[in-house]
Amino acid sequence: MKEADFTFLKELVEAPSPTGWEMPAAAVLRARLEGVADEVVTDQLGSVHALLRGRDAQAPSVALAGHIDEVGLIVTYVTPEGFLSFKSLGGVDAAILPGLRVDIHTDEGPLLGVIGRKPIHLIDADERKVVTPLEKLFIDIGLPADVVKRRVRVGDPITVHTGLESLGEGLVVSRALDDKMGAWIAARVLEELKAAGGAKSDCWCVGSVQEEIGMRGGATSAYALDPDIFIAVEVCHATDYPDIDKRDHGEQVVGKGPVFGRGPNINHAVLARLEQEAHELELNYQLEVEPRATGTDANPAQLARGGKATALVSIADRYMHTPTEVVSLADMESCVQILTQFILGLDADTDLSV
């Protein structure tokens, strides 16, 4: 991966953007695409829409959407002693929280804190056998109670204090790869289309918001933009590490190529064209079965207005919704190539009927 592209990924992933507070990540995405897209706007909800106009109004239009929100926490109470109680923003596993360093995003700027609980010496034997619930955890920011109460407000969002690093050979580890990595891929496709002289189709890069609490940005963007094709660019669960039952969860391997969803939420014609492009480019891809709703922005997009031809293209992600998500850079770059060629191949004769 080129150094500039890696830097873009790092900036996007590390921009704190818990659900409902996506503004820093949106700013990174807008800055990257200002000189690429013909139009970059942010809608009322906060989603970024970057449009690269096509050469043929009859060619089907495409929206590539990666959500720019991340799971996080939110302050619910400040104790008399100056410790913070909190709840989750999105699906957060309480088991991984004790001992983490976090950033509390206040009106005056971020404050570093640590998530505390009683040490093991003071926990009863029976209590050690269960996960400490959120309401039993607290955040210590190391300041006097009067200072905490002056600087921290109920409703301040919280993110984990970790960033993007290289891991092993060709992998990266970070919080929030779900799904700012998807927004990175969508932006890179727009750049590749621009470098190729543009496509026949109108193409949007969508940085959608509030996916983690109900796919809200995906729903509003699909309705407002009204594309013919909507592709959610996401992460899926890697199943290549211990204790994952492949009979139940399928086989998705980090480093074996992007993963195409297959099921009722997926347009068969779009999937067939994606597979064809992967074969022609001689790039590996994988399949993941989605027997019901996908739980991604593809789900509301499929039902927007009169319905959209939707697809789900994912990157296998180990340890999703933790501060140590792991993905392959090669998988991401293959995904960019396949999606770019897919869009370049669309024209007025493209048949999306199923």
Side-chain angles (χ1 to χ4, degrees):
M1 181 177 290
K2 294 180 180 177
E3 183 177 351
D5 296 335
F6 186 88
T7 299
F8 171 41
L9 177 64
K10 185 175 176 66
E11 290 175 350
L12 190 58
V13 168
E14 293 183 354
S17 58
T19 294
W21 283 267
E22 297 91 350
M23 297 80 78
V28 173
L29 189 60
R30 285 196 304 269
R32 177 76 177 203
L33 294 177
E34 284 289 353
V36 176
D38 296 306
E39 177 183 291
V40 181
V41 299
T42 305
D43 71 7
Q44 185 66 28
L45 203 61
S47 297
V48 177
H49 300 155
L51 169 64
L52 186 63
R53 293 191 179 90
R55 302 188 304 272
D56 184 352
Q58 302 305 311
S61 56
V62 186
L64 303 177
H67 68 85
I68 55 175
D69 62 316
E70 59 181 293
V71 296
L73 307 169
I74 187 168
V75 177
T76 58
Y77 175 64
V78 182
T79 73
E81 300 81 14
F83 297 99
L84 308 180
S85 299
F86 56 87
K87 290 188 182 297
S88 63
L89 286 171
V92 176
D93 183 358
I96 68 170
L97 294 179
L100 289 182
R101 300 181 186 188
V102 294
D103 292 312
I104 301 93
H105 300 282
T106 75
D107 292 341
E108 299 179 11
L111 290 172
L112 180 65
V114 294
I115 297 180
R117 70 164 190 178
K118 291 184 294 183
I120 191 169
H121 316 73
L122 305 182
I123 298 176
D124 294 337
D126 288 342
E127 194 176 349
R128 296 177 191 176
K129 299 176 183 178
V130 299
V131 173
T132 304
L134 287 180
E135 57 267 23
K136 295 292 187 180
L137 300 174
F138 55 87
I139 294 175
D140 181 354
I141 58 176
L143 293 173
D146 60 327
V147 177
V148 175
K149 292 178 180 180
R150 186 171 68 249
R151 296 188 61 180
V152 178
R153 301 175 63 202
V154 168
D156 282 344
I158 303 163
T159 54
V160 177
H161 186 79
T162 59
L164 183 82
E165 295 182 278
S166 296
L167 178 71
E169 295 183 2
L171 307 182
V172 288
V173 56
S174 181
R175 75 172 211 279
L177 287 165
D178 175 14
D179 179 42
K180 286 184 268 188
M181 175 223 63
W184 180 93
I185 289 172
R188 287 287 299 115
V189 171
L190 218 64
E191 292 176 331
E192 291 298 306
L193 292 173
K194 178 80 168 185
K200 293 178 181 178
S201 302
D202 285 349
C203 183
W204 286 274
C205 166
V206 177
S208 62
V209 299
Q210 299 191 32
E211 190 271 352
E212 297 291 359
I213 55 170
M215 300 158 285
R216 298 174 180 179
T220 55
S221 294
Y223 183 92
L225 300 178
D226 196 24
D228 297 300
I229 301 170
F230 187 103
I231 300 178
V233 188
E234 262 282 6
V235 295
C236 67
H237 294 291
T239 60
D240 58 353
Y241 55 95
D243 299 328
I244 302 295
D245 186 349
K246 294 181 177 63
R247 295 170 300 176
D248 188 19
H249 301 291
E251 185 171 24
Q252 293 83 234
V253 179
V254 172
K256 296 295 185 180
V259 182
F260 301 156
R262 192 176 188 205
N265 193 187
I266 309 304
N267 178 278
H268 303 309
V270 173
L271 174 58
R273 292 182 71 97
L274 288 169
E275 292 187 278
Q276 178 183 346
E277 296 298 348
H279 285 300
E280 291 183 359
L281 289 168
E282 298 183 344
L283 293 173
N284 293 328
Y285 70 92
Q286 307 172 76
L287 292 175
E288 180 185 30
V289 174
E290 301 286 356
R292 295 181 178 271
T294 62
T296 71
D297 283 339
N299 197 51
Q302 184 186 32
L303 305 178
R305 294 184 182 262
K308 304 299 170 197
T310 58
L312 174 60
V313 178
S314 303
I315 300 298
D317 179 9
R318 294 177 188 156
Y319 327 124
M320 195 185 300
H321 283 203
T322 76
T324 54
E325 297 182 359
V326 174
V327 301
S328 161
L329 295 176
D331 286 349
M332 294 167 59
E333 296 206 288
S334 291
C335 191
V336 171
Q337 293 181 62
I338 293 168
L339 289 172
T340 299
Q341 290 305 308
F342 168 82
I343 295 170
L344 288 173
L346 299 174
D347 58 29
D349 296 324
T350 299
D351 183 7
L352 300 175
S353 61
V354 294

